[in-house]
Amino acid sequence: MGILEGKTLLVTGVLMDSSIAFHVAKLAQEEGAQVVLTSFGRTMRITQTIAKRLPETPPVLELDVTDGEHLDTLADRLREHVDGLDGVLHSIGFAPQGAFNFMEGTWEDVSTALHASAYSLKALAAAALPLMDEQRGGSVVGLTFDAKFAWPVYDWMGVAKAAFESTNRYLARDLGARHVRCNLVAAGPIRTTAAKSIPGFEQFERIWDERAPLGWDVNDPVPAAKACAALLSDWFPATTGEIVHVDGGVHAMGQ
């Protein structure tokens, strides 16, 4: 029996079969879970196409996490496909190009990044909560990029990730009484759609090549996906507010 046998999971952010989110969905199905994906706008067709590469083709619901109507109707729309929800993967991040210049980024750029990449964790968790309540709890897992440092080129997206990590801690505080665990996986750099939008992303690859004691493959999303799957399972029943690093050990190394 798989570690996610009988679970029902909502997975956001599947855009490519090389993404962490895709491999979370794939592992989840292989481990016995029922999966529902989300997408929106012009990317809906892409997600629907990629979904066919999973072991079982899941439904794809429209969800823009910055759209209040999408969030308000999410629970009812999910009920058309599932009876309840045991877990949610937040694999969403967006920042305008201007946000990747720290000194010149405008508030419009920064506020967009914070809304889509940080506040959305709380918004998504709240939207899914009615279905997790019906299961008497669940697990919210998000993907981050270690925000303790000022990374090259990451700039306001790094600030948004710091807010994202803080949001996770407050969610853990407020949802614990409802038996909902909230944790993050801090993955090393992976060549994903989001990575392609970051100018100078290759600098991260050089850092990990030099500093990861276990080594690091920017083309392998599976280690991070396995950590997400484990946190979505019942194998971490007393862990919340945590950040699990899956980065080859870079976070623990000095300069």
Side-chain angles (χ1 to χ4, degrees), residues 20-117:
I20 296 171
F22 175 87
H23 285 275
V24 172
K26 182 173 182 288
L27 279 167
Q29 289 186 340
E30 291 170 349
E31 292 294 325
Q34 179 181 3
V35 172
V36 178
L37 305 183
T38 72
S39 190
F40 74 98
R42 290 179 296 176
T43 63
M44 278 286 289
R45 185 170 296 180
I46 297 171
T47 301
Q48 288 166 343
T49 299
I50 295 298
K52 295 174 183 177
R53 301 180 188 178
L54 291 168
E56 297 180 17
T57 303
V60 181
L61 301 188
E62 185 167 24
L63 178 64
D64 175 353
V65 290
T66 66
D67 186 314
E69 184 177 352
H70 285 194
L71 292 161
D72 290 344
T73 61
L74 178 63
D76 288 339
R77 291 186 289 123
L78 275 167
R79 285 192 182 97
E80 296 176 8
H81 302 278
V82 300
D83 296 326
L85 206 57
D86 299 288
V88 177
L89 178 76
H90 181 291
S91 180
I92 299 165
F94 173 76
Q97 285 297 303
F100 294 102
N101 185 318
F102 187 78
M103 295 304 295
E104 295 182 13
T106 66
W107 171 240
E108 183 178 3
D109 294 331
V110 174
S111 61
T112 297
L114 288 170
H115 190 181
S117 308

Side-chain angles (χ1 to χ4, degrees), residues 203-245:
Q203 293 186 51
F204 292 113
E205 298 183 16
R206 289 198 295 270
I207 291 169
W208 259 256
D209 281 343
E210 295 169 0
R211 298 183 57 198
L214 288 177
W216 186 253
D217 183 353
V218 297
N219 296 304
D220 185 7
V222 173
K226 286 183 175 180
C228 293
L231 288 168
L232 288 164
S233 78
D234 293 332
W235 283 92
F236 285 85
T239 298
T240 196
E242 186 59 90
I243 301 175
V244 177
H245 289 81

